[in-house]
Amino acid sequence: MKSKSVIVIGAGIGGLTAATHLAKRGLHVTVVEKNSRPGGRCDRFSRDGHHFDTGPTLFVMPLLYEAEFHALGTSMCEQLELQRVDPTYHLVFDDGSQLALTSDMQSMQKQLEAFQPGSFQGMLRYLQEGGRHYQLVLDKLVNRDFHHAFDFFSIQNLALLFRLKPLINHYGNMSTYFDDPRLKSAFTFQDIYMGLSPFEAPATFSMMPYTELAHGVWYPKGGMYRVVESLIDLARTAGVEFIFNTPVERIDTDSTHARGVLIADGLRLDADAVLANADLPYVYQNLLPQDRTAQTLKKKRFSCSVISFFWGVDKTYEALRPHTLFLADDYRENFERIDRDLSLPTNPSLYIHAPARLDSSMAPSGQDTLTAIVPVGHMSGGTDQNWGELRSEARRQVFRRLRSLGITDIESHIKFEETYTPPSWRKRYNLMKGSTHGLSHRLTQMAYFRPSNRHPRYRNLYFVGASTHPGTGIPTAMVSGRLVSKRIVDELGV
Ligand SMILES: Cc1cc2nc3c(=O)[nH]c(=O)nc-3n(C[C@H](O)[C@H](O)[C@H](O)COP(=O)(O)OP(=O)(O)OC[C@H]3O[C@@H](n4cnc5c(N)ncnc54)[C@H](O)[C@@H]3O)c2cc1C
């Protein structure tokens, strides 16, 4: 009997993972990708011996990666050569004080007590809460699907979810543990990974600082793109076929089903099911007939964006550690400028990644490969944002911040520069509004409230990736791939 077929639109992390699971179950799977290589947002580029991970730089939640590689029939350690990054981050505050977040509790005690006497005990209590949240979130929200309202709204589930402090905002909750505003920001800035402000994020997200300190932040030798290389090998071995450099132009539908996809020159590829890994709001807006859901999605909250600078530098700056973060005193104003004004803060918090500190092969000997990431509002759709000006201002701010670490000559040592602004993110990966993490993870857009991984009308059209369940992040996209592939296999009756 002929095996059933699935077309996957996009070779991002979620698409690659789902494609592999489906092919392993005997389905005929073809991935159609608009770009010339797989990975989507988890991308890279190389120039003159400098290698850049242009999207993710942090390998966090290793237990989730391990579980997902195991589900694919392999193991994380078989696939990746990992080293722990400890201290995880070097934080630099406006007053010049610094904090190295580390799992070495003696060092943490010494550092924290110098910031605020008694704060070490506060941190231990905070991490305890984070540990509880981590376990509950994974068991009750991440590792499962919500096909029906009663999957989510059961009395038992709601009682447990209440323990996640969903209605208390993360920053507000920090007063229970710390008085010093620098410490409040040191243990909440991670919310930006969800594209969220700590002033809006639920206190649930204390799980992120917990997992970073308890389970570690890691680095795969060769960079984050090694995850993509490993996933594409697994997919090819399972029999998945790939078509690159081919944007899907439409999903071909009848009144209740998807019949396949249309690519250039009106060519149609038929399939028993279509799985869209391209970001969900873009798919509703651009690949399907307009309907009510597409209109509703337009009004949802989107995560922020970033301006990223990639610099090949002809000397090494040892003052920069693998992950250096400059955190601004006007922390609240930072998030307001990004979320409310869709702009750049006047004194932005920002992040610098120096991978050669971990892996000398990422830069030529005696030189540096540096990425600076400055969070900024997503595209407004109007004419109020001048990305050229915002880019220049962000660049000035990075140099200003570097001077506080004694780095004053970097401009004259930059050999080449690449910059991504929100329009670049939109163009490269079809991310609506150039929003780097897709739909935001505010309370009303999480779990059951996040768009489902199956279209409500077209019964064989499915979604995988950051803007569907469970949400953004590489290991989470792998979970999304596993969950949706199970649903497809069940519903196609394979
Ligand atoms: C700057 C940045 C930093 C990040 N940092 C981290 C981090 O440190 N750690 C972490 O875990 N996560 C991080 N993330 C998040 C993580 O990268 C994403 O959540 C994850 O990679 C999303 O995967 P996805 O499955 O949604 O697919 P996507 O990456 O969205 O891929 C979708 C694919 O579909 C393709 N596509 C789109 N439209 C079409 C079309 N019409 N036809 C064919 N193909 C199409 C795109 O080209 C793309 O390849 C970061 C993201 C960004 C942007």
Side-chain angles (χ1 to χ4, degrees):
M1 202 174 71
K2 194 168 164 272
S3 58
K4 296 218 166 149
S5 60
V6 181
I7 291 195
V8 181
I9 307 171
I13 298 287
L16 292 173
T17 309
T20 309
H21 281 295
L22 292 168
K24 279 165 116 15
R25 293 299 300 267
L27 286 135
H28 184 263
V29 186
T30 309
V31 179
V32 186
E33 164 60 50
K34 87 187 235 305
N35 290 335
S36 60
R37 56 182 178 274
R41 284 169 251 198
C42 187
D43 208 349
R44 70 157 173 215
F45 87 87
S46 296
R47 185 162 154 190
D48 304 340
H50 298 266
H51 306 287
F52 300 86
D53 280 313
T54 54
T57 52
L58 296 158
F59 191 101
V60 290
M61 304 181 100
L63 304 185
L64 207 49
Y65 279 95
E66 175 55 29
E68 293 311 315
F69 275 114
H70 181 72
L72 288 166
T74 177
S75 76
M76 179 172 77
C77 297
E78 224 171 284
Q79 297 297 322
L80 305 167
E81 196 182 326
L82 291 167
Q83 62 171 297
R84 188 163 179 166
V85 186
D86 196 41
T88 51
Y89 305 98
H90 283 81
L91 307 181
V92 184
F93 299 95
D94 279 351
D95 63 2
S97 55
Q98 296 191 22
L99 175 63
L101 293 183
T102 167
S103 58
D104 172 348
M105 287 297 126
Q106 271 184 350
S107 162
M108 278 304 267
Q109 182 164 21
K110 203 163 148 215
Q111 295 185 79
L112 289 185
E113 294 299 311
F115 273 73
Q116 178 203 324
S119 59
F120 180 65
Q121 281 307 320
M123 185 201 72
L124 293 180
R125 285 190 295 116
Y126 177 65
L127 292 182
Q128 244 172 23
E129 176 175 287
R132 276 198 309 276
H133 288 175
Y134 174 86
Q135 212 47 57
L136 272 171
V137 165
L138 286 201
D139 291 349
K140 300 289 166 195
L141 297 179
V142 169
N143 271 318
R144 54 165 302 181
D145 248 340
F146 298 98
H147 297 183
H148 307 286
F150 50 78
D151 292 337
F152 185 71
F153 289 106
S154 70
I155 301 285
Q156 193 200 25
N157 209 33
L158 286 183
L160 281 170
L161 295 183
F162 195 66
R163 288 171 49 203
L164 290 171
K165 296 193 171 177
L167 302 176
I168 301 173
N169 92 50
H170 196 182
Y171 194 84
N173 192 43
M174 296 309 281
S175 308
T176 322
Y177 304 105
F178 306 108
D179 295 326
D180 191 311
R182 291 169 301 177
L183 298 182
K184 291 183 185 178
S185 46
F187 292 100
T188 53
F189 70 82
Q190 295 83 348
D191 295 352
I192 199 88
Y193 305 159
M194 307 287 147
L196 270 183
S197 145
F199 299 94
E200 181 183 39
T204 318
F205 284 116
S206 57
M207 62 177 273
M208 288 310 291
Y210 161 78
T211 176
E212 287 180 348
L213 287 180
H215 308 141
V217 172
W218 298 76
Y219 178 82
K221 188 168 169 46
M224 292 299 284
Y225 199 75
R226 280 289 307 124
V227 178
V228 175
E229 289 172 333
S230 135
L231 289 178
I232 195 142
D233 280 354
L234 293 170
R236 287 204 161 112
T237 307
V240 177
E241 288 171 14
F242 287 88
I243 306 175
F244 289 104
N245 297 307
T246 306
V248 165
E249 293 181 355
R250 297 293 294 165
I251 297 172
D252 190 24
T253 54
D254 58 26
S255 56
T256 54
H257 284 82
R259 296 189 302 173
V261 300
L262 297 172
I263 53 175
D265 304 323
L267 236 103
R268 199 172 95 187
L269 307 174
D270 293 331
D272 295 302
V274 173
L275 171 59
N277 178 220
D279 207 35
L280 182 142
Y282 155 85
V283 175
Y284 273 91
Q285 237 42 253
N286 296 276
L287 303 185
L288 287 169
Q290 282 292 303
D291 62 6
R292 246 200 18 232
T293 320
Q295 293 311 314
T296 317
L297 275 171
K298 266 193 200 161
K299 293 187 204 121
K300 296 249 180 214
R301 281 285 285 276
F302 284 72
S303 68
C304 64
S305 190
V306 297
I307 299 179
S308 299
F309 300 94
F310 305 104
W311 291 319
V313 178
D314 69 8
K315 66 183 268 198
T316 302
Y317 289 100
E318 287 298 338
L320 291 172
R321 304 315 301 149
H323 305 293
T324 305
L325 261 126
F326 294 88
L327 289 176
D329 276 355
D330 27 16
Y331 195 57
R332 185 187 292 270
E333 189 262 359
N334 254 257
F335 289 103
E336 282 175 358
R337 285 290 286 160
I338 293 169
D339 275 353
R340 190 192 56 202
D341 306 339
L342 301 182
S343 193
L344 179 71
T346 19
N347 171 26
S349 297
L350 53 93
Y351 160 71
I352 313 256
H353 179 45
R357 237 38 100 249
L358 298 164
D359 181 352
S360 59
S361 70
M362 299 303 273
S365 168
Q367 305 195 18
D368 234 345
T369 292
L370 299 178
T371 301
I373 300 186
V374 188
V376 66
H378 63 63
M379 296 169 77
S380 65
T383 51
D384 50 324
Q385 296 161 316
N386 180 331
W387 292 113
E389 272 175 21
L390 289 168
R391 173 198 170 283
S392 303
E393 180 53 23
R395 193 173 187 271
R396 259 196 304 278
Q397 292 295 339
V398 177
F399 294 142
R400 181 180 67 79
R401 289 308 201 124
L402 288 176
R403 283 197 288 279
S404 72
L405 280 187
I407 298 175
T408 54
D409 61 350
I410 188 164
E411 274 189 272
S412 57
H413 289 279
I414 294 176
K415 297 191 296 177
F416 63 84
E417 170 176 86
E418 274 272 347
T419 314
Y420 290 3
T421 59
S424 331
W425 295 109
R426 185 178 63 177
K427 184 161 173 227
R428 278 171 189 276
Y429 311 109
N430 283 339
L431 300 174
M432 232 173 105
K433 299 174 194 265
S435 156
T436 41
H437 297 273
L439 289 178
S440 115
H441 293 71
R442 68 200 311 230
L443 195 58
T444 51
Q445 297 184 178
M446 276 164 52
Y448 175 67
F449 305 109
R450 209 158 176 78
S452 165
N453 58 14
R454 193 185 68 185
H455 195 282
R457 176 170 177 182
Y458 310 115
R459 313 301 287 171
N460 61 342
L461 172 58
Y462 298 88
F463 299 95
V464 62
S467 288
T468 178
H469 182 70
T472 188
I474 296 183
T476 341
M478 291 174 78
V479 173
S480 178
R482 173 171 53 79
L483 293 176
V484 77
S485 59
K486 178 171 184 316
R487 188 168 191 180
I488 296 172
V489 165
D490 288 349
E491 293 181 357
L492 285 185
V494 180

